[in-house]
Amino acid sequence: MKTKAVFMLLALLVVFISGCMEKKEEIIIDEPGNISTYEFEVFLNEWDNEVPANTTTYYILGDKTEVQVVHIVINSSKIEIFPTETLGGNSEKKPIESFVPLVEPANETEASPETLMELSNRTEVSDINYSLIQEVRRGIKVINLEFEEPVTGFIAYTLEVPGTQNFLVMKPDSEFIRVVLPEGYSTGNRVFGIPRPSPSDISFDEQGRQTLMWISSEMGEREETIQVKYYPETAPIYFFSAIIALLSGSVLVLVHYSRNKRELEQVREVFELEKQYTEKGKKKRK
């Protein structure tokens, strides 16, 4: 009877876990996001004659509580979006915000810099059918964005993230992955934080923001996540200045201690000489 009960319990557990993993939920976007809040940069693949490629760019905002994600999609019908729970945030009600599609059917659009430039200058979102389905896959929440047909253009949305200086993201299905740090922040110092894995390229944009880029095909299969620890650009300067000040203070204390020690030794020597002289005088009087 005990063995049968154990098997029944295990069977129920398997059914429960399977049900949770297969649970799907549709996400409804009531209103499109504001196009003007996003940066639609026409990023080109310089390694392939400047031909646009599937690219995902993460713009970490200055308050460090939100990240704007902008995809360049080339002849794609599906995008995987990892919601805030996956990134370390906590927003069950609004896993994705300010959704903006600027795309055209791929069979009617040439994937060129001119096309992307034209789309980036639009003031209204594209009128195209899509679906957003959230599901749990191998214990990880993911939102599947699907279009009725392959499209080319920009997809933008905003995710809530923890207000820390440690950005973590699951590797998206894009050839190029870019992370743009807030203005005035940097990464790469082993004391304060470095990106993992090491990016393929580090540059600065026109606003002076540090931009990190990874090439998906060059990353190993085990590198499923990208982590960027960043800090204020002035942090190393202040830190090492504090270290120098502390060392200087320590040196001054040691010098002062050594000087006082020598003075005390001199005083003791004088006292010993006076003591010896006094004792000799007493012996003579006897």
Side-chain angles (χ1 to χ4, degrees):
M1 288 294 292
K2 290 184 178 180
T3 304
K4 186 177 180 180
V6 170
F7 276 114
M8 289 180 64
L9 181 61
L10 290 175
L12 289 173
L13 183 61
V14 170
V15 171
F16 176 77
I17 295 175
S18 300
C20 291
M21 293 182 65
E22 295 175 358
K23 182 181 178 181
K24 296 183 179 182
E25 179 182 356
E26 184 177 6
I27 298 175
I28 305 297
I29 304 295
D30 298 325
E31 296 182 0
N34 188 346
I35 296 176
S36 63
T37 61
Y38 291 103
E39 299 180 47
F40 296 102
E41 180 184 355
V42 184
F43 175 80
L44 301 177
N45 178 9
E46 297 179 358
W47 292 270
D48 191 15
N49 298 321
E50 296 190 346
V51 174
N54 288 308
T55 304
T56 301
T57 303
Y58 299 91
Y59 296 91
I60 303 175
L61 301 187
D63 61 4
K64 302 179 290 295
T65 61
E66 289 183 331
V67 57
Q68 292 181 337
V69 189
V70 179
H71 296 270
I72 295 179
V73 292
I74 307 297
N75 193 24
S76 300
S77 60
K78 182 177 179 179
I79 295 177
E80 291 183 337
I81 300 172
F82 296 95
T84 56
E85 297 95 317
T86 304
L87 295 173
N90 185 22
S91 181
E92 292 280 353
K93 296 181 179 179
K94 295 182 179 180
I96 181 173
E97 297 182 274
S98 191
F99 182 73
V100 172
L102 295 176
V103 295
E104 290 292 340
N107 59 2
E108 301 176 7
T109 307
E110 180 185 1
S112 65
E114 292 75 18
T115 298
L116 293 179
M117 185 63 70
E118 187 273 327
L119 288 169
S120 67
N121 291 323
R122 288 190 178 181
T123 57
E124 295 183 0
V125 299
S126 303
D127 184 15
I128 192 166
N129 294 326
Y130 63 86
S131 64
L132 286 165
I133 305 296
Q134 180 173 267
E135 64 177 340
V136 178
R137 187 186 307 160
R138 292 183 298 179
I140 297 177
K141 287 187 177 181
V142 60
I143 298 173
N144 294 313
L145 168 62
E146 294 191 42
F147 296 92
E148 292 184 345
E149 58 181 317
V151 296
T152 292
F154 293 97
I155 299 294
Y157 50 88
T158 300
L159 296 176
E160 179 184 333
V161 292
T164 63
Q165 294 168 196
N166 183 18
F167 179 68
L168 178 67
V169 61
M170 300 292 294
K171 183 173 72 175
D173 188 19
S174 298
E175 178 58 19
F176 296 95
I177 305 158
R178 304 167 69 233
V179 174
V180 180
L181 300 182
E183 189 173 352
Y185 286 82
S186 183
T187 187
N189 187 299
R190 292 194 173 274
V191 175
F192 294 92
I194 61 175
R196 296 182 183 277
S198 297
S200 302
D201 182 72
I202 300 177
S203 60
F204 291 86
D205 63 10
E206 296 179 352
Q207 301 180 39
R209 297 175 301 182
Q210 190 171 20
T211 301
L212 315 171
M213 186 185 73
W214 290 262
I215 301 176
S216 184
S217 58
E218 295 181 357
M219 297 175 65
E221 293 182 359
R222 294 184 178 180
E223 296 173 326
E224 293 295 333
T225 60
I226 291 174
Q227 183 179 27
V228 180
K229 293 184 178 181
Y230 57 99
Y231 47 84
E233 293 176 345
T234 55
I237 298 176
Y238 290 143
F239 177 76
F240 290 114
S241 297
I243 293 295
I244 292 173
L246 181 61
L247 290 175
S248 299
S250 299
V251 171
L252 290 175
V253 170
L254 289 174
V255 170
H256 182 69
Y257 172 77
S258 299
R259 183 180 298 174
N260 289 341
K261 184 178 180 181
R262 286 197 301 269
E263 292 177 354
L264 289 173
E265 288 178 348
Q266 292 175 355
V267 171
R268 187 179 64 180
E269 290 176 358
V270 171
F271 177 77
E272 291 291 336
L273 288 173
E274 290 181 350
K275 183 178 180 182
Q276 292 176 6
Y277 179 79
T278 302
E279 291 178 350
K280 288 179 178 180
K282 288 180 178 180
K283 290 180 179 180
K284 287 182 179 181
R285 286 195 296 270
K286 289 180 180 180

